[in-house]
Coordinates of all heavy atoms in Angstrom, one line a residue:
E220 N 54.6 126.1 100.0 CA 53.6 126.5 100.9 C 53.7 128.0 101.3 O 52.7 128.7 101.4 CB 53.7 125.6 102.2 CG 53.3 124.2 102.0 CD 53.2 123.4 103.3 OE1 53.2 124.1 104.4 OE2 53.2 122.2 103.3
I221 N 54.9 128.4 101.6 CA 55.2 129.7 102.1 C 54.8 130.7 101.0 O 54.1 131.8 101.2 CB 56.6 129.9 102.5 CG1 56.9 129.1 103.8 CG2 56.9 131.4 102.8 CD1 58.4 129.0 104.1
A222 N 55.2 130.4 99.8 CA 54.9 131.3 98.6 C 53.4 131.4 98.4 O 52.8 132.5 98.1 CB 55.6 130.8 97.4
R223 N 52.7 130.3 98.5 CA 51.2 130.3 98.3 C 50.5 131.2 99.2 O 49.7 132.1 98.9 CB 50.6 128.9 98.4 CG 50.7 128.0 97.2 CD 49.7 126.8 97.3 NE 49.9 126.0 98.5 CZ 50.7 124.9 98.5 NH1 51.3 124.5 97.5 NH2 50.7 124.2 99.6
L224 N 50.9 131.1 100.5 CA 50.3 132.0 101.5 C 50.7 133.4 101.3 O 49.9 134.4 101.3 CB 50.7 131.6 102.9 CG 50.2 132.5 104.1 CD1 48.7 132.4 104.2 CD2 50.9 132.1 105.4
G225 N 52.0 133.6 101.1 CA 52.5 135.0 101.0 C 52.0 135.8 99.8 O 51.7 137.0 99.9
I226 N 51.7 135.1 98.7 CA 51.2 135.8 97.5 C 49.7 136.2 97.8 O 49.3 137.3 97.4 CB 51.3 134.9 96.3 CG1 52.8 134.8 95.9 CG2 50.5 135.4 95.1 CD1 53.1 133.7 94.9
V227 N 49.0 135.3 98.4 CA 47.6 135.6 98.7 C 47.5 136.8 99.7 O 46.6 137.6 99.6 CB 46.9 134.3 99.3 CG1 45.5 134.7 99.9 CG2 46.7 133.3 98.2
M228 N 48.5 136.9 100.6 CA 48.5 138.0 101.5 C 49.0 139.3 100.9 O 48.8 140.3 101.5 CB 49.3 137.6 102.8 CG 48.7 136.5 103.6 SD 49.7 136.1 105.1 CE 49.6 137.6 106.0
G229 N 49.6 139.2 99.7 CA 50.0 140.4 99.1 C 51.5 140.5 98.9 O 52.0 141.6 98.4
G230 N 52.3 139.5 99.2 CA 53.7 139.5 98.9 C 54.0 139.3 97.5 O 53.2 138.9 96.7
R231 N 55.3 139.5 97.1 CA 55.7 139.3 95.7 C 56.4 137.9 95.6 O 57.2 137.5 96.4 CB 56.7 140.3 95.3 CG 56.1 141.7 95.1 CD 56.8 142.5 94.1 NE 58.2 142.7 94.4 CZ 58.8 143.7 95.0 NH1 58.0 144.7 95.4 NH2 60.1 143.8 95.2
I232 N 56.1 137.2 94.5 CA 56.5 135.9 94.3 C 58.1 135.8 94.2 O 58.7 134.9 94.7 CB 55.9 135.2 93.1 CG1 56.2 133.7 93.1 CG2 56.4 135.9 91.8 CD1 55.3 132.9 92.2
E233 N 58.7 136.8 93.6 CA 60.2 136.8 93.6 C 60.8 136.8 94.9 O 62.0 136.4 95.1 CB 60.7 137.9 92.6 CG 60.4 139.3 93.1 CD 59.1 139.8 92.4 OE1 58.2 139.0 92.1 OE2 59.0 141.0 92.2
T234 N 60.1 137.4 95.9 CA 60.7 137.5 97.3 C 60.9 136.1 97.8 O 61.9 135.7 98.5 CB 59.8 138.3 98.2 OG1 59.6 139.6 97.7 CG2 60.3 138.3 99.6
F235 N 59.9 135.2 97.6 CA 59.9 133.8 98.1 C 60.9 132.9 97.4 O 61.3 131.9 98.0 CB 58.5 133.2 98.1 CG 57.5 134.1 98.9 CD1 56.6 134.9 98.2 CD2 57.6 134.2 100.3 CE1 55.7 135.7 98.9 CE2 56.7 135.0 101.0 CZ 55.8 135.8 100.3
Y236 N 61.3 133.3 96.2 CA 62.3 132.5 95.5 C 63.7 133.2 95.5 O 64.5 132.9 94.7 CB 61.8 132.2 94.1 CG 60.7 131.2 94.2 CD1 59.3 131.7 94.1 CD2 60.9 129.9 94.4 CE1 58.3 130.8 94.3 CE2 59.8 129.0 94.5 CZ 58.5 129.4 94.4 OH 57.5 128.6 94.6
G237 N 63.8 134.2 96.5 CA 65.1 134.9 96.6 C 65.7 134.6 98.0 O 65.5 133.6 98.6
L238 N 66.6 135.5 98.4 CA 67.4 135.3 99.6 C 66.6 135.1 100.8 O 66.9 134.2 101.7 CB 68.4 136.5 99.8 CG 69.6 136.5 98.8 CD1 70.2 137.9 98.9 CD2 70.6 135.4 99.2
T239 N 65.5 135.9 101.0 CA 64.7 135.8 102.2 C 63.7 134.7 102.2 O 62.9 134.5 103.2 CB 64.0 137.2 102.5 OG1 63.2 137.5 101.4 CG2 65.1 138.3 102.6
G240 N 63.5 134.0 101.0 CA 62.6 132.9 100.9 C 63.4 131.6 100.9 O 63.8 131.0 101.9
I241 N 63.7 131.1 99.7 CA 64.3 129.9 99.5 C 65.8 129.9 100.1 O 66.2 128.9 100.6 CB 64.4 129.4 98.0 CG1 64.9 128.0 97.9 CG2 65.2 130.4 97.2 CD1 63.9 127.0 98.4
G242 N 66.4 131.1 100.0 CA 67.8 131.2 100.5 C 67.8 130.9 102.0 O 68.6 130.1 102.5
D243 N 67.0 131.6 102.7 CA 67.0 131.4 104.2 C 66.4 130.1 104.6 O 66.9 129.5 105.6 CB 66.1 132.5 104.8 CG 66.4 132.9 106.2 OD1 67.4 132.3 106.8 OD2 65.8 133.8 106.8
L244 N 65.5 129.5 103.8 CA 65.0 128.2 104.1 C 66.1 127.1 103.9 O 66.2 126.2 104.8 CB 63.8 127.9 103.1 CG 63.1 126.6 103.3 CD1 62.5 126.5 104.7 CD2 62.0 126.4 102.3
I245 N 66.9 127.2 102.9 CA 67.9 126.2 102.7 C 68.9 126.2 103.9 O 69.2 125.2 104.4 CB 68.7 126.5 101.4 CG1 67.8 126.2 100.2 CG2 70.0 125.7 101.3 CD1 68.4 126.7 98.8
V246 N 69.4 127.4 104.2 CA 70.4 127.4 105.3 C 69.8 127.0 106.6 O 70.5 126.3 107.4 CB 71.0 128.8 105.4 CG1 70.2 129.8 106.1 CG2 72.4 128.7 106.0
T247 N 68.6 127.3 106.9 CA 68.0 127.0 108.2 C 67.7 125.5 108.3 O 67.7 124.9 109.4 CB 66.7 127.8 108.4 OG1 67.0 129.2 108.2 CG2 66.2 127.6 109.9
C248 N 67.3 124.8 107.2 CA 67.0 123.4 107.1 C 68.3 122.6 107.1 O 68.3 121.4 107.5 CB 66.2 123.1 105.9 SG 64.5 123.6 106.0
A249 N 69.4 123.1 106.7 CA 70.6 122.3 106.4 C 71.7 122.4 107.5 O 72.5 121.6 107.6 CB 71.2 122.6 105.0
S250 N 71.7 123.5 108.2 CA 72.8 123.8 109.1 C 72.6 123.4 110.5 O 71.5 123.6 111.1 CB 73.1 125.3 109.0 OG 74.1 125.7 109.9
M251 N 73.6 123.0 111.2 CA 73.6 122.7 112.6 C 73.6 124.0 113.5 O 73.5 124.0 114.7 CB 74.7 121.7 113.1 CG 74.3 120.3 112.7 SD 72.7 119.7 113.4 CE 73.1 119.6 115.1
H252 N 73.9 125.1 112.8 CA 73.8 126.4 113.5 C 72.3 126.7 113.8 O 72.0 127.5 114.7 CB 74.4 127.6 112.7 CG 75.9 127.5 112.5 ND1 76.7 127.3 113.6 CD2 76.7 127.7 111.4 CE1 78.0 127.4 113.2 NE2 78.0 127.6 111.9
S253 N 71.4 126.1 113.0 CA 70.0 126.4 113.2 C 69.4 125.8 114.4 O 69.4 124.6 114.6 CB 69.3 125.9 111.9 OG 67.9 125.9 112.1
R254 N 68.9 126.7 115.3 CA 68.3 126.2 116.5 C 67.0 125.5 116.2 O 66.6 124.5 117.0 CB 68.1 127.3 117.5 CG 67.2 128.4 117.0 CD 67.2 129.6 117.9 NE 68.4 130.4 117.6 CZ 68.6 131.6 118.1 NH1 67.7 132.2 118.8 NH2 69.7 132.3 117.9
N255 N 66.3 125.9 115.2 CA 65.1 125.2 114.8 C 65.4 123.8 114.3 O 64.7 122.9 114.7 CB 64.4 126.0 113.7 CG 63.9 127.4 114.2 OD1 62.9 127.5 114.9 ND2 64.7 128.4 113.9
R256 N 66.4 123.6 113.5 CA 66.7 122.3 113.0 C 67.2 121.4 114.2 O 66.8 120.2 114.3 CB 67.8 122.3 112.0 CG 68.1 120.9 111.4 CD 69.4 120.9 110.5 NE 69.7 119.5 110.2 CZ 70.9 119.1 110.0 NH1 72.0 120.0 110.0 NH2 71.2 117.9 109.7
R257 N 68.0 122.0 115.1 CA 68.5 121.2 116.2 C 67.3 120.8 117.1 O 67.3 119.6 117.6 CB 69.5 122.0 117.0 CG 70.8 122.3 116.2 CD 72.0 122.6 117.1 NE 71.7 123.5 118.2 CZ 71.9 124.8 118.2 NH1 72.2 125.4 117.1 NH2 71.7 125.5 119.3
A258 N 66.4 121.7 117.4 CA 65.2 121.3 118.2 C 64.4 120.2 117.5 O 63.9 119.3 118.1 CB 64.3 122.5 118.4
G259 N 64.2 120.3 116.1 CA 63.5 119.3 115.4 C 64.2 117.9 115.5 O 63.5 116.9 115.6
I260 N 65.5 117.9 115.4 CA 66.2 116.6 115.5 C 65.9 116.0 116.8 O 65.6 114.8 116.9 CB 67.8 116.9 115.4 CG1 68.1 117.2 113.9 CG2 68.5 115.6 115.8 CD1 69.5 117.7 113.8
L261 N 65.9 116.7 117.9 CA 65.6 116.2 119.2 C 64.2 115.7 119.3 O 63.9 114.6 119.9 CB 65.8 117.3 120.3 CG 67.3 117.7 120.5 CD1 67.4 119.0 121.3 CD2 68.1 116.6 121.1
I262 N 63.3 116.4 118.7 CA 61.9 115.9 118.7 C 61.7 114.7 117.9 O 61.0 113.7 118.3 CB 60.9 117.0 118.1 CG1 60.9 118.2 119.1 CG2 59.5 116.5 117.9 CD1 60.3 119.5 118.6

Side-chain angles (χ1 to χ4, degrees):
E220 291 188 16
I221 294 169
R223 278 199 301 267
L224 176 66
I226 291 165
V227 170
M228 290 180 65
R231 291 207 304 261
I232 191 159
E233 59 265 32
T234 301
F235 302 106
Y236 292 96
L238 286 167
T239 61
I241 190 66
D243 207 357
L244 182 61
I245 290 169
V246 78
T247 310
C248 289
S250 175
M251 282 305 290
H252 289 316
S253 167
R254 63 192 73 171
N255 294 283
R256 183 190 172 208
R257 296 205 313 270
I260 290 171
L261 293 168
I262 292 169

